[in-house]
PDB file of all heavy atoms in Angstrom:
ATOM      1  N   TYR A  11     -83.718  -3.849  86.069  1.00 44.00           N
ATOM      2  CA  TYR A  11     -83.328  -4.228  87.358  1.00 44.00           C
ATOM      3  C   TYR A  11     -82.264  -3.341  88.076  1.00 44.00           C
ATOM      4  O   TYR A  11     -81.419  -2.772  87.468  1.00 44.00           O
ATOM      5  CB  TYR A  11     -82.862  -5.813  87.456  1.00 44.00           C
ATOM      6  CG  TYR A  11     -81.722  -6.092  86.570  1.00 44.00           C
ATOM      7  CD1 TYR A  11     -80.372  -6.131  86.950  1.00 44.00           C
ATOM      8  CD2 TYR A  11     -81.933  -6.349  85.190  1.00 44.00           C
ATOM      9  CE1 TYR A  11     -79.376  -6.506  86.110  1.00 44.00           C
ATOM     10  CE2 TYR A  11     -80.984  -6.735  84.358  1.00 44.00           C
ATOM     11  CZ  TYR A  11     -79.744  -6.788  84.744  1.00 44.00           C
ATOM     12  OH  TYR A  11     -78.708  -7.127  83.857  1.00 44.00           O
ATOM     13  N   ILE A  13     -79.579  -2.926  89.724  1.00 67.00           N
ATOM     14  CA  ILE A  13     -78.368  -3.442  90.236  1.00 67.00           C
ATOM     15  C   ILE A  13     -77.145  -2.606  89.765  1.00 67.00           C
ATOM     16  O   ILE A  13     -76.146  -2.816  90.129  1.00 67.00           O
ATOM     17  CB  ILE A  13     -78.043  -4.956  89.709  1.00 67.00           C
ATOM     18  CG1 ILE A  13     -78.020  -4.927  88.257  1.00 67.00           C
ATOM     19  CG2 ILE A  13     -79.087  -5.850  90.370  1.00 67.00           C
ATOM     20  CD1 ILE A  13     -77.650  -6.278  87.638  1.00 67.00           C
ATOM     21  N   ASN A  14     -77.529  -1.470  89.069  1.00 82.00           N
ATOM     22  CA  ASN A  14     -76.446  -0.774  88.441  1.00 82.00           C
ATOM     23  C   ASN A  14     -76.857   0.632  88.404  1.00 82.00           C
ATOM     24  O   ASN A  14     -77.865   0.948  87.751  1.00 82.00           O
ATOM     25  CB  ASN A  14     -76.102  -1.307  87.117  1.00 82.00           C
ATOM     26  CG  ASN A  14     -75.057  -0.621  86.408  1.00 82.00           C
ATOM     27  OD1 ASN A  14     -74.712   0.500  86.662  1.00 82.00           O
ATOM     28  ND2 ASN A  14     -74.319  -1.413  85.542  1.00 82.00           N
ATOM     29  N   MET A  17     -77.888   2.392  85.170  1.00 78.00           N
ATOM     30  CA  MET A  17     -79.026   2.008  84.337  1.00 78.00           C
ATOM     31  C   MET A  17     -80.241   2.746  84.712  1.00 78.00           C
ATOM     32  O   MET A  17     -80.936   2.277  85.546  1.00 78.00           O
ATOM     33  CB  MET A  17     -79.126   0.514  84.589  1.00 78.00           C
ATOM     34  CG  MET A  17     -77.874  -0.277  84.044  1.00 78.00           C
ATOM     35  SD  MET A  17     -77.965  -2.026  84.371  1.00 78.00           S
ATOM     36  CE  MET A  17     -79.320  -2.511  83.350  1.00 78.00           C
ATOM     37  N   ASP A  57     -77.719  -8.274  78.830  1.00 93.00           N
ATOM     38  CA  ASP A  57     -76.479  -7.738  79.166  1.00 93.00           C
ATOM     39  C   ASP A  57     -75.302  -8.577  78.589  1.00 93.00           C
ATOM     40  O   ASP A  57     -74.164  -8.275  78.910  1.00 93.00           O
ATOM     41  CB  ASP A  57     -76.327  -7.687  80.636  1.00 93.00           C
ATOM     42  CG  ASP A  57     -76.796  -6.366  81.322  1.00 93.00           C
ATOM     43  OD1 ASP A  57     -77.028  -5.425  80.611  1.00 93.00           O
ATOM     44  OD2 ASP A  57     -76.976  -6.249  82.482  1.00 93.00           O
ATOM     45  N   TYR A  60     -72.068  -7.033  77.280  1.00 97.00           N
ATOM     46  CA  TYR A  60     -70.998  -6.635  78.051  1.00 97.00           C
ATOM     47  C   TYR A  60     -70.154  -7.979  78.318  1.00 97.00           C
ATOM     48  O   TYR A  60     -70.146  -8.565  79.394  1.00 97.00           O
ATOM     49  CB  TYR A  60     -71.469  -6.084  79.433  1.00 97.00           C
ATOM     50  CG  TYR A  60     -72.350  -4.856  79.118  1.00 97.00           C
ATOM     51  CD1 TYR A  60     -73.689  -4.763  79.467  1.00 97.00           C
ATOM     52  CD2 TYR A  60     -71.784  -3.708  78.585  1.00 97.00           C
ATOM     53  CE1 TYR A  60     -74.334  -3.704  79.213  1.00 97.00           C
ATOM     54  CE2 TYR A  60     -72.511  -2.576  78.301  1.00 97.00           C
ATOM     55  CZ  TYR A  60     -73.886  -2.503  78.667  1.00 97.00           C
ATOM     56  OH  TYR A  60     -74.640  -1.499  78.322  1.00 97.00           O
ATOM     57  N   ALA A  62     -67.162  -8.652  78.794  1.00 98.00           N
ATOM     58  CA  ALA A  62     -66.075  -8.741  79.624  1.00 98.00           C
ATOM     59  C   ALA A  62     -66.323  -9.645  80.846  1.00 98.00           C
ATOM     60  O   ALA A  62     -65.426 -10.101  81.476  1.00 98.00           O
ATOM     61  CB  ALA A  62     -65.615  -7.354  80.064  1.00 98.00           C
ATOM     62  N   ASN A  63     -67.546  -9.611  81.229  1.00 98.00           N
ATOM     63  CA  ASN A  63     -67.942 -10.260  82.453  1.00 98.00           C
ATOM     64  C   ASN A  63     -68.131 -11.808  82.476  1.00 98.00           C
ATOM     65  O   ASN A  63     -68.301 -12.388  83.553  1.00 98.00           O
ATOM     66  CB  ASN A  63     -69.348  -9.629  82.954  1.00 98.00           C
ATOM     67  CG  ASN A  63     -69.386  -8.123  83.024  1.00 98.00           C
ATOM     68  OD1 ASN A  63     -70.191  -7.416  82.678  1.00 98.00           O
ATOM     69  ND2 ASN A  63     -68.142  -7.584  83.356  1.00 98.00           N
ATOM     70  N   ARG A  82     -78.271 -12.341  84.872  1.00 95.00           N
ATOM     71  CA  ARG A  82     -77.125 -12.652  84.027  1.00 95.00           C
ATOM     72  C   ARG A  82     -76.618 -14.090  83.939  1.00 95.00           C
ATOM     73  O   ARG A  82     -75.552 -14.420  83.346  1.00 95.00           O
ATOM     74  CB  ARG A  82     -76.025 -11.602  84.248  1.00 95.00           C
ATOM     75  CG  ARG A  82     -76.466 -10.142  84.056  1.00 95.00           C
ATOM     76  CD  ARG A  82     -75.170  -9.102  83.933  1.00 95.00           C
ATOM     77  NE  ARG A  82     -74.440  -9.404  82.716  1.00 95.00           N
ATOM     78  CZ  ARG A  82     -73.363  -8.868  82.495  1.00 95.00           C
ATOM     79  NH1 ARG A  82     -72.845  -7.830  83.334  1.00 95.00           N
ATOM     80  NH2 ARG A  82     -72.569  -9.041  81.388  1.00 95.00           N
ATOM     81  N   GLU A 108     -67.500 -11.849  88.473  1.00 98.00           N
ATOM     82  CA  GLU A 108     -67.908 -11.325  87.221  1.00 98.00           C
ATOM     83  C   GLU A 108     -66.756 -11.077  86.258  1.00 98.00           C
ATOM     84  O   GLU A 108     -66.632 -10.111  85.415  1.00 98.00           O
ATOM     85  CB  GLU A 108     -68.790 -10.156  87.364  1.00 98.00           C
ATOM     86  CG  GLU A 108     -69.972 -10.570  88.196  1.00 98.00           C
ATOM     87  CD  GLU A 108     -71.302  -9.693  88.119  1.00 98.00           C
ATOM     88  OE1 GLU A 108     -71.102  -8.554  87.634  1.00 98.00           O
ATOM     89  OE2 GLU A 108     -72.351 -10.089  88.574  1.00 98.00           O
ATOM     90  N   GLY A 111     -64.693  -8.026  84.430  1.00 98.00           N
ATOM     91  CA  GLY A 111     -65.340  -6.954  85.048  1.00 98.00           C
ATOM     92  C   GLY A 111     -64.588  -6.574  86.317  1.00 98.00           C
ATOM     93  O   GLY A 111     -64.367  -5.400  86.715  1.00 98.00           O
ATOM     94  N   ARG A 131     -69.878  -6.732  93.195  1.00 97.00           N
ATOM     95  CA  ARG A 131     -70.300  -7.953  92.497  1.00 97.00           C
ATOM     96  C   ARG A 131     -69.456  -9.140  92.796  1.00 97.00           C
ATOM     97  O   ARG A 131     -69.984 -10.184  93.329  1.00 97.00           O
ATOM     98  CB  ARG A 131     -70.034  -7.685  90.955  1.00 97.00           C
ATOM     99  CG  ARG A 131     -70.917  -6.459  90.362  1.00 97.00           C
ATOM    100  CD  ARG A 131     -72.349  -6.817  90.450  1.00 97.00           C
ATOM    101  NE  ARG A 131     -73.224  -5.753  89.847  1.00 97.00           N
ATOM    102  CZ  ARG A 131     -73.418  -5.512  88.591  1.00 97.00           C
ATOM    103  NH1 ARG A 131     -72.961  -6.469  87.751  1.00 97.00           N
ATOM    104  NH2 ARG A 131     -74.210  -4.584  88.143  1.00 97.00           N
ATOM    105  N   TYR A 159     -68.849   0.001  90.216  1.00 96.00           N
ATOM    106  CA  TYR A 159     -69.342  -1.318  90.769  1.00 96.00           C
ATOM    107  C   TYR A 159     -68.487  -2.528  90.329  1.00 96.00           C
ATOM    108  O   TYR A 159     -68.493  -3.618  90.912  1.00 96.00           O
ATOM    109  CB  TYR A 159     -70.811  -1.610  90.386  1.00 96.00           C
ATOM    110  CG  TYR A 159     -71.051  -1.570  88.927  1.00 96.00           C
ATOM    111  CD1 TYR A 159     -71.042  -2.799  88.187  1.00 96.00           C
ATOM    112  CD2 TYR A 159     -71.095  -0.435  88.266  1.00 96.00           C
ATOM    113  CE1 TYR A 159     -71.186  -2.782  86.900  1.00 96.00           C
ATOM    114  CE2 TYR A 159     -71.237  -0.392  86.870  1.00 96.00           C
ATOM    115  CZ  TYR A 159     -71.277  -1.468  86.199  1.00 96.00           C
ATOM    116  OH  TYR A 159     -71.414  -1.582  84.752  1.00 96.00           O
ATOM    117  N   HIS A 160     -67.707  -2.267  89.249  1.00 97.00           N
ATOM    118  CA  HIS A 160     -66.795  -3.351  88.657  1.00 97.00           C
ATOM    119  C   HIS A 160     -65.399  -2.610  88.692  1.00 97.00           C
ATOM    120  O   HIS A 160     -65.303  -1.447  88.417  1.00 97.00           O
ATOM    121  CB  HIS A 160     -67.123  -3.703  87.268  1.00 97.00           C
ATOM    122  CG  HIS A 160     -68.049  -4.736  87.061  1.00 97.00           C
ATOM    123  ND1 HIS A 160     -68.874  -4.847  85.956  1.00 97.00           N
ATOM    124  CD2 HIS A 160     -68.295  -5.902  87.844  1.00 97.00           C
ATOM    125  CE1 HIS A 160     -69.694  -5.905  86.050  1.00 97.00           C
ATOM    126  NE2 HIS A 160     -69.261  -6.598  87.101  1.00 97.00           N
ATOM    127  N   ASP A 162     -63.330  -2.718  86.443  1.00 98.00           N
ATOM    128  CA  ASP A 162     -63.011  -2.109  85.120  1.00 98.00           C
ATOM    129  C   ASP A 162     -63.608  -0.786  84.775  1.00 98.00           C
ATOM    130  O   ASP A 162     -63.466  -0.196  83.789  1.00 98.00           O
ATOM    131  CB  ASP A 162     -63.312  -3.072  83.915  1.00 98.00           C
ATOM    132  CG  ASP A 162     -64.749  -3.293  83.660  1.00 98.00           C
ATOM    133  OD1 ASP A 162     -65.680  -2.803  84.330  1.00 98.00           O
ATOM    134  OD2 ASP A 162     -65.053  -4.143  82.727  1.00 98.00           O
ATOM    135  N   THR A 163     -64.444  -0.318  85.745  1.00 98.00           N
ATOM    136  CA  THR A 163     -64.989   1.121  85.674  1.00 98.00           C
ATOM    137  C   THR A 163     -64.018   2.043  86.280  1.00 98.00           C
ATOM    138  O   THR A 163     -64.197   3.322  86.197  1.00 98.00           O
ATOM    139  CB  THR A 163     -66.313   1.241  86.240  1.00 98.00           C
ATOM    140  OG1 THR A 163     -66.254   0.925  87.766  1.00 98.00           O
ATOM    141  CG2 THR A 163     -67.328   0.246  85.647  1.00 98.00           C
ATOM    142  N   ASN A 209     -62.729   2.736  81.390  1.00 98.00           N
ATOM    143  CA  ASN A 209     -63.289   1.501  80.880  1.00 98.00           C
ATOM    144  C   ASN A 209     -62.820   1.373  79.484  1.00 98.00           C
ATOM    145  O   ASN A 209     -63.498   1.428  78.483  1.00 98.00           O
ATOM    146  CB  ASN A 209     -64.865   1.618  80.957  1.00 98.00           C
ATOM    147  CG  ASN A 209     -65.486   0.252  80.737  1.00 98.00           C
ATOM    148  OD1 ASN A 209     -66.115  -0.059  79.741  1.00 98.00           O
ATOM    149  ND2 ASN A 209     -65.313  -0.607  81.601  1.00 98.00           N
ATOM    150  N   GLY A 248     -76.428   1.284  79.612  1.00 90.00           N
ATOM    151  CA  GLY A 248     -76.440   0.012  80.419  1.00 90.00           C
ATOM    152  C   GLY A 248     -75.419  -0.115  81.377  1.00 90.00           C
ATOM    153  O   GLY A 248     -75.199  -1.212  81.961  1.00 90.00           O
ATOM    154  N   GLY A 249     -74.612   0.914  81.458  1.00 91.00           N
ATOM    155  CA  GLY A 249     -73.576   0.914  82.595  1.00 91.00           C
ATOM    156  C   GLY A 249     -72.174   0.471  82.005  1.00 91.00           C
ATOM    157  O   GLY A 249     -71.376  -0.047  82.835  1.00 91.00           O
ATOM    158  N   GLY A 250     -71.954   0.418  80.822  1.00 93.00           N
ATOM    159  CA  GLY A 250     -70.663  -0.022  80.247  1.00 93.00           C
ATOM    160  C   GLY A 250     -70.135   0.851  79.138  1.00 93.00           C
ATOM    161  O   GLY A 250     -70.803   1.571  78.619  1.00 93.00           O
ATOM    162  N   CYS A 254     -66.175  -3.013  78.881  1.00 97.00           N
ATOM    163  CA  CYS A 254     -67.170  -3.920  79.241  1.00 97.00           C
ATOM    164  C   CYS A 254     -67.660  -4.866  78.078  1.00 97.00           C
ATOM    165  O   CYS A 254     -68.126  -5.878  78.192  1.00 97.00           O
ATOM    166  CB  CYS A 254     -68.381  -3.173  79.747  1.00 97.00           C
ATOM    167  SG  CYS A 254     -68.110  -2.193  81.216  1.00 97.00           S
TER     168      CYS A 254
HETATM  169  N1  LIG B   1     -75.640  -3.621  82.937  1.00 61.05           N
HETATM  170  C1  LIG B   1     -74.407  -4.478  83.138  1.00 61.05           C
HETATM  171  C2  LIG B   1     -74.453  -4.812  84.694  1.00 61.05           C
HETATM  172  O1  LIG B   1     -74.843  -4.070  85.405  1.00 61.05           O
HETATM  173  C3  LIG B   1     -73.130  -3.735  82.835  1.00 61.05           C
HETATM  174  C4  LIG B   1     -71.884  -4.459  82.825  1.00 61.05           C
HETATM  175  C5  LIG B   1     -70.732  -3.704  82.412  1.00 61.05           C
HETATM  176  N2  LIG B   1     -69.661  -4.556  82.246  1.00 61.05           N
HETATM  177  C6  LIG B   1     -68.497  -4.255  82.850  1.00 61.05           C
HETATM  178  N3  LIG B   1     -67.434  -5.014  82.547  1.00 61.05           N
HETATM  179  N4  LIG B   1     -68.274  -3.297  83.749  1.00 61.05           N
HETATM  180  O2  LIG B   1     -74.027  -6.015  84.963  1.00 61.05           O
END
Side-chain angles (χ1 to χ4, degrees):
Y11 49 100
I13 58 171
N14 183 331
M17 295 171 70
D57 270 348
Y60 303 113
N63 304 140
R82 299 196 65 183
E108 298 199 347
R131 300 293 181 87
Y159 58 95
H160 273 148
D162 73 0
T163 62
N209 197 249
C254 297

